[in-house]
Amino acid sequence: MKNEILNLIKENLIEIMPELEGKEVSEDETLVNLGANSIDRGELITLTLERLDLDVSRIEFVGAHTINELADLIVEKRK
């Protein structure tokens, strides 16, 4: 399940930030270091939650700084 979420997050990130397409995106790289500003991060979380049909407040994901951390939080919320 986590791998599916990681892949979805990466797909959504590339949709939001097309300049990342074709680049190696590490799951442990911070979103800031990947070039995502606060609006990009909010959009990434919203899009990912919508596509997973999860109704969770975005504020609960404020502590997620990497793709991996975001995926871990989403896995936890899906339980």
Side-chain angles (χ1 to χ4, degrees), residues 27-41:
E27 294 158 3
D28 293 314
E29 183 83 38
T30 67
L31 294 168
V32 171
N33 285 347
L34 291 171
N37 62 31
S38 59
I39 294 169
D40 295 330
R41 292 191 306 273

Side-chain angles (χ1 to χ4, degrees), residues 23-75:
K23 293 185 179 174
E24 182 63 34
V25 177
S26 167
E27 294 158 3
D28 293 314
E29 183 83 38
T30 67
L31 294 168
V32 171
N33 285 347
L34 291 171
N37 62 31
S38 59
I39 294 169
D40 295 330
R41 292 191 306 273
E43 203 173 325
L44 175 63
I45 292 166
T46 300
L47 189 59
T48 303
L49 292 176
E50 284 174 0
R51 290 187 172 161
L52 290 170
D53 198 29
L54 269 179
D55 186 23
V56 181
S57 171
R58 285 189 345 199
I59 202 77
E60 295 193 42
F61 298 95
V62 78
H65 299 290
T66 67
I67 292 171
N68 226 356
E69 290 173 0
L70 180 57
D72 286 339
L73 284 171
I74 291 172
V75 167

